[in-house]
Amino acid sequence: SIDGVIRNVAPESSLREILDGIRLRMLQSKRVITHIRLDGEDLTRDLESTRAGKSVSEFALLEVKTSCPDELSLATLREIKPYLDSLEQHHLEAAEMMVKGMVPEAMRRLNDCFAAWENVINCLKNVSTISRVDLSTIEGGEKAAIARIEKLGTALRRFKEAFTLQDIVRVRDIAEYELRPLVKEWSGHVGNVMELLSKKIEVERN
């Protein structure tokens, strides 16, 4: 089934042939596959590689879930927006811990912040790939967007290096003076991308 709609297939076809056909159809219809289950089991890459050559007649049900790329991207950004907005508070809490001499606790909190920033970056990269977001249409244009990404990437690399060396002073300074000020900037950037996706979805629906 595809999105709950049962579809009959030739029993002599292999699972690979069916999956290739579905993926091609989704590509042509500009949809993305979000989930595949085979007989109630998630079809991972490893599982697919071991069963791809088998006839579909050996299986009872193949379930494929798809989504509009822009709707999927917008839903993803809606999930990370509050997550990103809370980062500033985490940075402030870590700074307070440093002042109080709670260095190990502060370092753990800052490490969590680093992981959160990486998640935000990876999420936006995926959104850009899936939805082909045109950065030139976002406030400041493409050059500003690229510069923003590079600035954050540089700060994260410097933070990771200092954290690996357990250079507490550098970790504190980078977190406080380089990363924390970027929270509002990136929150605004994510908001702009969400607005762009919302407009795209509205246009496509009409």
Side-chain angles (χ1 to χ4, degrees):
S1 69
I2 299 178
D3 293 328
V5 179
I6 300 296
R7 299 174 183 271
N8 295 321
V9 297
E12 67 274 10
S13 301
S14 69
L15 179 62
R16 177 181 293 109
E17 290 172 329
I18 298 302
L19 288 172
D20 286 348
I22 291 174
R23 285 168 175 147
L24 178 60
R25 192 182 314 159
M26 293 305 103
L27 182 64
Q28 292 171 338
S29 61
K30 297 181 180 180
R31 293 186 69 81
V32 293
I33 295 174
T34 59
H35 204 175
I36 301 179
R37 290 174 66 84
L38 182 64
D39 289 344
E41 186 176 4
D42 290 343
L43 190 65
T44 63
R45 288 185 180 180
D46 290 340
L47 192 59
E48 181 178 341
S49 66
T50 60
R51 300 184 181 179
K54 294 183 178 182
S55 168
V56 291
S57 61
E58 297 183 39
F59 309 106
L61 180 63
L62 176 68
E63 300 170 273
V64 179
K65 299 292 184 182
T66 73
S67 176
C68 164
D70 292 337
E71 290 177 357
L72 178 62
S73 294
L74 184 58
T76 301
L77 292 179
R78 281 175 175 160
E79 287 184 7
I80 71 160
K81 184 66 163 55
Y83 184 56
L84 174 58
D85 291 340
S86 68
L87 260 179
E88 184 169 19
Q89 181 60 34
H90 292 317
H91 277 292
L92 288 172
E93 289 172 357
E96 290 175 1
M97 289 175 183
M98 284 285 191
V99 172
K100 294 177 181 178
M102 302 166 62
V103 176
E105 294 86 349
M107 293 291 277
R108 283 195 294 270
R109 181 60 58 87
L110 289 173
N111 192 44
D112 290 343
C113 289
F114 175 80
W117 274 114
E118 284 200 318
N119 286 337
V120 170
I121 285 287
N122 290 333
C123 176
L124 283 169
K125 285 180 179 178
N126 291 336
V127 165
S128 180
T129 300
I130 293 173
S131 296
R132 299 180 181 178
V133 175
D134 184 1
L135 296 176
S136 64
T137 63
I138 298 173
E139 184 179 354
E142 185 173 7
K143 288 184 178 179
I146 292 173
R148 187 182 298 114
I149 293 171
E150 291 177 348
K151 183 178 180 181
L152 177 57
T154 298
L156 289 175
R157 284 192 296 273
R158 283 163 43 76
F159 180 90
K160 185 175 183 179
E161 178 185 311
F163 194 92
T164 300
L165 296 174
Q166 290 294 288
D167 188 334
I168 297 172
V169 175
R170 279 187 65 206
V171 166
R172 179 198 63 199
D173 288 348
I174 294 170
E176 177 66 15
Y177 302 113
E178 295 184 43
L179 288 176
R180 188 169 71 84
L182 292 179
V183 173
K184 289 183 179 179
E185 181 181 332
W186 273 84
S187 181
H189 178 60
V190 170
N192 288 336
V193 176
M194 289 173 63
E195 184 179 354
L196 174 64
L197 289 171
S198 295
K199 289 179 179 178
K200 284 182 63 180
I201 293 170
E202 185 177 350
V203 169
E204 289 170 3
R205 285 176 177 172
N206 295 331

